[in-house]
Amino acid sequence: MREEPRLSVAVFRPDDERTTQAVELLESLGADPVPDPMLAVEATGATPRSDADYVVLTSKTGVELATEAGWDPGDATVCAIGRPTADVLEDAGYAVDLVPEEYSSTGLVAALEESVDGARVEVARSDHGSAVLTDGLEAAGAYVHETILYRLVRPEGAGASTERAAAGDLDAALFTSSLTVRHFLAAADERGIRADAVEGLNDAVVGAIGEPTRQTATDAGIDVDVVPDTADFETLATTAVEAAAPSHRE
């Protein structure tokens, strides 16, 4: 019986344990990972304010930087977008008071809008955070302050996956944020292969971790095939690999 070829799956997570975990997961699913980190973290040295009524952390990286800086939330209600962020907070010894049912800026706004009128809300995150969160909280009557804990930049030399996409050598690609989409396209632009890379993605299975990421990709002409109901990488990878399997693409 002839063995089916393994799927080539590009992943764009930062070059740390997230890429390591992504590679291990994809290999366990029978795929050949194509790691091409499109994000690198540059810490700003800032610390979340400690005089807010609510503090919102949006990522594992933000929690780690706040923890390293010795941040103390005081009596604030601590909110995490997503269970992974909440887990890191709890592992660091912080109590997490709220995790929205929908792991997104929209979901957190929906969870808080009835209770933040007149409250001071601290949002601590990267420089590429969605305005949906801050605008939504302000519309609900909150006094919002944003602290930029880190910047997300494209690593030097990133973009080998764009060449594989342009050559038709990817079966799937997993975008975990709008910024990974933008950085992929910028890397393709630098190589003069953007149109071919997008065409290659459109012949593959493209996964986006949530609606904002899907919209960014769609606006750039990339057809998105998979947007999981749960915004976590394991679900994204599993669903995309299943969709890209030869039996699904005949």
Side-chain angles (χ1 to χ4, degrees), residues 160-224:
S161 62
T162 67
E163 298 173 16
R164 293 191 62 167
D169 193 27
L170 287 181
D171 296 295
L174 308 177
F175 290 105
T176 49
S177 68
S178 290
L179 196 56
T180 57
V181 177
R182 296 189 187 104
H183 284 179
F184 176 94
L185 295 171
D189 275 330
E190 286 182 354
R191 291 164 170 78
I193 57 172
R194 176 169 174 149
D196 289 338
V198 169
E199 182 178 352
L201 289 181
N202 289 342
D203 287 335
V205 169
V206 174
I209 204 162
E211 179 57 28
T213 305
R214 184 203 67 78
Q215 189 63 56
T216 300
T218 300
D219 289 347
I222 299 170
D223 298 331
V224 175

Side-chain angles (χ1 to χ4, degrees), residues 4-141:
E4 293 285 0
R6 289 167 65 91
L7 301 173
S8 296
V9 183
V11 59
F12 310 111
R13 306 183 91 187
D15 189 15
D16 54 24
E17 72 275 7
R18 283 166 287 191
T19 285
T20 301
Q21 292 166 1
V23 167
E24 291 174 352
L25 173 61
L26 289 169
E27 289 178 339
S28 75
L29 295 171
D32 281 333
V34 181
D36 189 10
M38 288 289 173
L39 299 175
V41 173
E42 288 186 351
T44 64
T47 306
R49 292 179 63 165
S50 58
D51 60 350
D53 301 304
Y54 293 81
V55 179
V56 177
L57 279 300
T58 65
S59 70
K60 173 178 177 290
T61 299
V63 172
E64 291 171 345
L65 291 173
T67 300
E68 290 170 5
W71 167 65
D72 181 357
D75 295 326
T77 296
V78 177
C79 309
I81 294 183
R83 190 66 246 172
T85 303
D87 289 343
V88 177
L89 276 164
E90 290 169 348
D91 289 346
Y94 297 100
V96 178
D97 302 295
L98 177 65
V99 181
E101 290 185 12
E102 178 186 334
Y103 295 173
S104 67
S105 295
T106 301
L108 186 60
V109 170
L112 289 175
E113 60 186 353
E114 298 298 326
S115 57
V116 295
D117 188 15
R120 294 169 296 177
V121 180
E122 167 74 345
V123 176
R125 58 183 184 176
S126 79
D127 61 331
H128 286 279
S130 170
V132 169
L133 177 58
T134 49
D135 290 352
L137 293 172
E138 287 177 348

Side-chain angles (χ1 to χ4, degrees), residues 7 9 171-174 205-207 226 235-245:
L7 301 173
V9 183
D171 296 295
L174 308 177
V205 169
V206 174
V226 171
T235 305
L236 174 68
T238 302
T239 307
V241 168
E242 289 176 352

